[in-house]
Amino acid sequence: MEMERFVHRTVEVNGINMHLVEKGEGPVVLFLHGFPELWYSWRHQIEYLSNSGYRAVAPDLRGYGDTDAQSDIKSYTCFQLVGDIVALIDSLGVDKVFLVGHDWGAALGWYLCQFRPERIKAYVCLSVPFGLINKRDPTVKPVENFRHLFGDDYYICRFQEYPEMEIELAEAGTAYVMKNILTNRDPGPIIFPNKGKYPPGFNRHMPKDLPHWLTQPDLDVYISKFEKTRFTGGLNYYRNLDTNWELTAPWTGTGISKDIPVRFITGELDIVYTTPGIKEYVHGGSFKKDVPGLEDKIWVQPGVAHFNNQEAAAETNHLIHQFISKFD
């Protein structure tokens, strides 16, 4: 794919400079990436949707790639991050967008739907259901709850460690970390053990060869950017989970507006979907209760892991387009 066919530009949003990539004309489809990713994670979707009559837009989120990274951990709360996206939508000259989010981008998508529902036509969520991060339990802070459920080595608990986590990742090397995470197919919960148990990472069974959907040039894009930025920006999203819990107290007990149509797509082997309790939440009625606009069918892609927008690009493209085209 010729990356130069995409338009790269920088816009000022919410006090930072945000890099974005776009292609096409028509209704805006806004793609939000996760950790540790970039706009590049949506390369297949940008190409497909722009050729299907849409204006596909994918930013590097705050702290990633060519977008500004703030040094203060508290600059990465859900309010600042959603503020970035609202300002980005304004900069595009539209009132509403079709929203697609994956991983942390999915969590931000839920926050955006919760805080500013009037800006969303429909939401396609990949991997992270509403309840994992965005459903506020008023009795316990998230990190404490995750530690109780999954132990000190659970990745969210480990990611709280500053600067120890950055030191471990730097010692492992950016190339190792990116390959380790992107090729992971181990089921959840996601364990990131203390240094010395085995080389740091999610994936104890990291393959020698890259999977068919990830070429070395693809991997090099991620490596080159994270060599420059390192991982602190992305880790700071996790370090604000307890702060987000405090900030979202006014939304306790609330879900997503019934007026926002939602489709949920995940991989059968996804590290979130296979974390204990998630399947029960997704399929047992709680997800639908929190998100009344969720369509009845949950799309579980057989044999697909966490990065389904890349691993199962053709199917994911079709499922996104099929859904949003109902609401043009």
Side-chain angles (χ1 to χ4, degrees), residues 43-221:
R43 58 198 179 278
H44 305 296
Q45 287 73 41
I46 295 170
E47 189 74 20
Y48 184 88
L49 270 297
S50 66
N51 289 332
S52 302
Y54 295 88
R55 181 185 177 190
V57 179
D60 287 332
L61 296 177
R62 176 183 292 233
Y64 286 93
D66 294 317
T67 291
D68 287 349
Q70 309 301 93
S71 58
D72 182 6
I73 290 175
K74 297 302 183 183
S75 294
Y76 294 83
T77 72
C78 59
F79 284 175
Q80 280 105 332
L81 298 172
V82 171
D84 295 346
I85 303 307
V86 172
L88 173 60
I89 294 171
D90 288 341
S91 78
L92 298 174
V94 296
D95 294 326
K96 291 188 173 187
V97 298
F98 291 112
L99 187 65
V100 184
H102 173 259
D103 191 82
W104 251 108
L108 293 185
W110 292 123
Y111 281 128
L112 186 59
C113 290
Q114 201 167 27
F115 302 156
R116 299 298 303 272
E118 79 281 4
R119 307 306 299 266
I120 308 303
K121 294 180 180 179
Y123 179 35
V124 179
C125 176
L126 309 185
S127 177
V128 177
F130 176 81
L132 180 68
I133 292 178
N134 302 72
K135 186 174 183 178
R136 187 181 187 278
D137 181 345
T139 66
V140 60
K141 292 184 177 182
V143 176
E144 176 186 344
N145 186 49
F146 285 130
R147 197 179 306 277
H148 171 73
L149 290 173
F150 305 123
D152 292 340
D153 285 348
Y154 187 58
Y155 79 111
I156 288 177
C157 301
R158 291 291 331 277
F159 283 3
Q160 304 305 311
E161 302 170 9
Y162 174 82
E164 291 80 6
M165 197 73 256
E166 279 86 343
I167 293 171
E168 285 193 32
L169 295 176
E171 290 179 350
T174 304
Y176 172 90
V177 171
M178 291 309 308
K179 181 180 178 182
N180 181 273
I181 294 175
L182 289 173
T183 62
N184 182 40
R185 304 182 76 77
D186 288 350
I190 312 164
I191 301 301
F192 201 106
N194 291 317
K195 186 176 178 181
K197 292 186 179 178
Y198 60 79
F202 300 131
N203 184 2
R204 303 184 217 205
H205 307 106
M206 187 171 73
K208 179 180 178 181
D209 298 323
L210 293 176
H212 67 90
W213 55 269
L214 184 67
T215 68
Q216 188 60 51
D218 291 334
L219 187 59
D220 288 342
V221 171

Side-chain angles (χ1 to χ4, degrees), residues 24-42:
E25 297 181 357
V28 173
V29 185
L30 180 59
F31 296 95
L32 306 180
H33 68 78
F35 174 87
E37 298 180 80
L38 303 163
W39 74 266
Y40 189 78
S41 300
W42 300 109

